[in-house]
Amino acid sequence: MAKLEPYTPTPAARAGRIVMTVMPFVMGMACVLLAFVPLGRIVGSPLTPAFPLMAIYYWAIVKPEMFPPVAVLAVGLMFDLVSGGAIGLWAFVYVVTYAVVISQRMLLVNTPFSAFWFGFLATAAFAGFLGWVIVSIIHGIFVPPGSVIRHMAVTVAVFPVFAMLFGRIQTRVLQGS
Amino acid sequence: MDPNRSALPFREFSHRISLVFMLTLAAALLLLGRAETYVFDRARQVVTDLAAPLLEVASRPVAATRRIIERTDEYAYVFDENERLRAENARLLAWKEEALKLQAKVARYEALLNVQVDPSIDYASGRVVSDSGGPFVDTVLVNVGAEQGARSGQAVIDTDGLVGRIVSTGPKASRVLLLTDLNSRIPVVIEPAHYKAVLAGDNTDWPKLEYLASQSAISPGDRVVTSGDGGLIPPGLPVGLVIQTSSGDLRVQTFSDRGRLDFVRVLQYEFPSKVKRQDPPEVLQGGPEESEETGAEVPAAPAASASQAAARE
């Protein structure tokens, strides 16, 4: 009887696996940079969506093992460093939001897109509120909430486009492998 | 027993432990970040300098798209715009005559009173390469760094007026705190009555006026310019107009538009601390003989003032 050789992955396969593993994190980092590209200026608006929140929510629901808490912290910290705001603000908000999303994951996984989108609406509202509370405490005043409401509204509005994009990447690259 | 089945609870457990650890770490960062330690400032500068070239490349297509949209708009309204510009040009020519007369008069008075004219201000031009990126911070990155002479505290203007001031610089890029940011405080003067106040951002589109004297009577439409107090920002830079909000508060509508920031100038203003010794004007030194001499010298003043004006340009 023929004996099966033990499987040893080639270097290319190993590299491919590493790429697959880090891809959601790399996309999270790309979302951080994208959040600072002045896209709103095309239409003369200073509003830019919270792209990292979209990546965190999507991957926390779809493939949480590929977007671990350390990646969420790194994405939030990078956002804080580039934004010039309080250090740790978005790192904290994103990690707490990620924990809440993970705890409700079973409600949202494999649901119709409308439910998935509604889940993101609740997530964005939670993240915005948490951020607003922390900033208000830091400054010792009630910071006018108008800008965070507009920011999160734009984020929720453009989420379907990015969810579709993440879905394509997931189908073509991650599952294709 | 399938070994994968026993690995699953362990993976879930380690995921939970990791989550708790990251939550603690994030909370610790939030508290440590308040200390504004050197490490965080340094890390921020390094990250900013690394991100600025990437953001500059990424912002170019955005700027090009915006220009295309603006051009299309301009073509659509080219005749109306032409008519408007002709009318504005006629109005401005009248203002130019008036301004030339006033300039000559001011120059004559300056020469007469031996006024120390402000030195000319050097500047470095650059582009805004990033957006604020968050709802609680109004800062942008410009591609003018310490290598081009940018320093913390320097004023940044665009074609409309004051944009903000630099709060940190790296070798290649600087961070500009916009007038609307929660931490922005700019000493201003409200014209024409010359009331002094501090323009304070509060995360809304219209910064408020603080430390305004209670008896000051300002009204919507009054012009707000920098006062130059503190010596960081040159005096007289246009900031905005006083407006009245629906709730009745008086706030400032800035001339610069956050949504349209593109090319800016970083003013390398040096407060004139080394002022030459200035004697009282000769006309005030008394004595009939001296006043006669002064009278002979007065006609020469416009020439001196013209050279001062040229030096200022």
Side-chain angles (χ1 to χ4, degrees):
Chain A
M1 191 179 159
K3 216 175 170 186
L4 281 175
E5 287 291 321
Y7 171 70
T8 48
T10 61
R14 270 189 202 148
R17 190 174 289 176
I18 291 169
V19 169
M20 300 309 150
T21 311
V22 299
M23 181 164 280
F25 172 65
V26 170
M27 284 175 64
M29 283 297 184
C31 282
V32 171
L33 277 184
L34 191 63
F36 293 94
V37 176
L39 295 171
R41 267 192 248 155
I42 294 175
V43 289
S45 161
L47 283 173
T48 306
F51 295 116
L53 187 64
M54 295 182 200
I56 288 167
Y57 174 79
Y58 185 89
W59 295 110
I61 299 288
V62 176
K63 286 240 176 234
E65 67 277 9
M66 285 192 169
F67 210 104
V70 65
V72 178
L73 184 86
V75 165
L77 191 59
M78 183 58 81
F79 192 91
D80 288 329
L81 288 172
V82 184
S83 77
I87 290 284
L89 170 66
W90 288 107
F92 184 75
V93 169
Y94 285 161
V95 174
V96 173
T97 307
Y98 176 84
V100 172
V101 171
I102 287 285
S103 70
Q104 303 301 315
R105 183 170 172 262
M106 285 305 147
L107 292 174
L108 295 162
V109 76
N110 294 327
T111 52
F113 183 74
S114 53
F116 190 59
W117 193 6
F118 184 78
F120 184 69
L121 168 71
T123 305
F126 174 78
F129 178 72
L130 184 61
W132 177 77
V133 168
I134 294 171
V135 171
S136 294
I137 291 170
I138 287 173
H139 286 92
I141 51 164
F142 280 110
V143 175
S147 65
V148 70
I149 292 171
R150 284 196 298 272
H151 181 68
M152 289 306 172
V154 172
T155 307
V156 173
V158 299
F159 176 69
V161 179
F162 280 80
M164 204 161 57
L165 189 74
F166 294 146
R168 283 272 170 92
I169 291 167
Q170 188 202 350
T171 313
R172 292 270 173 89
V173 184
L174 298 181
Q175 286 181 356
S177 66
Chain B
M1 191 184 160
D2 184 2
N4 286 333
R5 191 168 278 196
S6 63
L8 260 176
F10 175 73
R11 193 181 290 174
E12 202 170 298
F13 177 73
S14 71
H15 192 265
R16 281 192 183 180
I17 290 288
S18 160
L19 193 52
V20 170
F21 181 66
M22 289 306 148
L23 274 170
T24 316
L25 191 59
L29 274 173
L30 191 56
L31 294 174
L32 280 174
R34 294 301 301 147
E36 294 284 339
T37 56
Y38 172 79
V39 178
F40 288 125
D41 285 348
R42 190 81 198 106
R44 182 166 271 167
Q45 269 178 13
V46 170
V47 170
T48 302
D49 256 8
L50 288 174
L54 293 173
L55 289 169
E56 190 177 353
V57 171
S59 68
R60 280 192 182 165
V62 174
T65 312
R66 201 188 116 205
R67 268 196 288 276
I68 290 169
I69 292 171
E70 281 180 353
R71 284 277 164 83
T72 315
D73 272 1
E74 281 167 13
Y75 282 128
Y77 299 104
V78 69
F79 292 110
D80 290 347
E81 186 66 5
N82 199 15
E83 209 164 291
R84 190 186 67 79
L85 288 173
R86 277 173 196 277
E88 191 177 84
N89 194 35
R91 266 201 319 276
L92 290 176
L93 281 173
W95 271 108
K96 185 186 169 190
E97 287 302 317
E98 191 67 26
L100 285 172
K101 270 189 231 166
L102 286 171
Q103 189 185 26
K105 194 188 265 185
V106 169
R108 209 163 51 240
Y109 289 157
E110 280 177 353
L112 192 64
L113 296 170
N114 198 13
V115 170
Q116 291 282 349
V117 178
D118 286 340
S120 61
I121 302 168
D122 288 334
Y123 60 85
S125 298
R127 276 192 59 214
V128 174
V129 295
S130 87
D131 213 346
S132 62
F136 305 117
V137 183
D138 269 338
T139 62
V140 291
L141 295 179
V142 292
N143 60 357
V144 178
E147 287 176 2
Q148 286 85 36
R151 283 208 312 271
S152 282
Q154 288 176 341
V156 178
I157 60 167
D158 69 354
T159 49
D160 298 322
L162 185 69
V163 170
R165 65 186 169 87
I166 290 181
V167 285
S168 69
T169 51
K172 305 270 181 209
S174 304
R175 184 178 299 285
V176 180
L177 188 75
L178 301 183
L179 300 175
T180 46
D181 189 273
L182 267 167
N183 296 308
S184 172
R185 301 286 183 274
I186 304 283
V188 292
V189 161
I190 299 140
E191 292 178 337
H194 213 77
Y195 293 121
K196 289 199 171 186
V198 171
L199 186 77
D202 65 347
N203 212 34
T204 63
D205 290 340
W206 308 289
K208 54 187 180 183
L209 292 164
E210 287 183 346
Y211 305 110
L212 193 64
S214 55
Q215 72 273 19
S216 52
I218 59 168
S219 52
D222 286 354
R223 206 160 167 271
V224 180
V225 298
T226 54
S227 70
D229 288 352
L232 270 180
I233 296 175
L237 296 177
V239 174
L241 293 175
V242 175
I243 57 163
Q244 192 158 26
T245 60
S246 52
S247 58
D249 297 340
L250 288 173
R251 288 180 171 253
V252 175
Q253 170 78 65
T254 57
F255 289 132
S256 66
D257 183 353
R258 272 192 307 165
R260 295 188 180 279
L261 290 177
D262 198 357
F263 287 98
V264 292
R265 275 180 183 177
V266 177
L267 300 182
Q268 291 158 1
Y269 174 69
E270 292 282 346
F271 182 69
S273 53
K274 289 177 185 167
V275 181
K276 284 190 292 183
R277 183 173 170 274
Q278 193 172 0
D279 294 325
E282 290 175 7
V283 284
L284 301 178
Q285 282 178 350
E289 301 88 46
E290 281 172 348
S291 62
E292 269 172 28
E293 272 179 24
T294 313
E297 275 178 23
V298 167
S305 65
S307 64
Q308 278 178 329
R312 236 189 308 180
E313 281 168 12

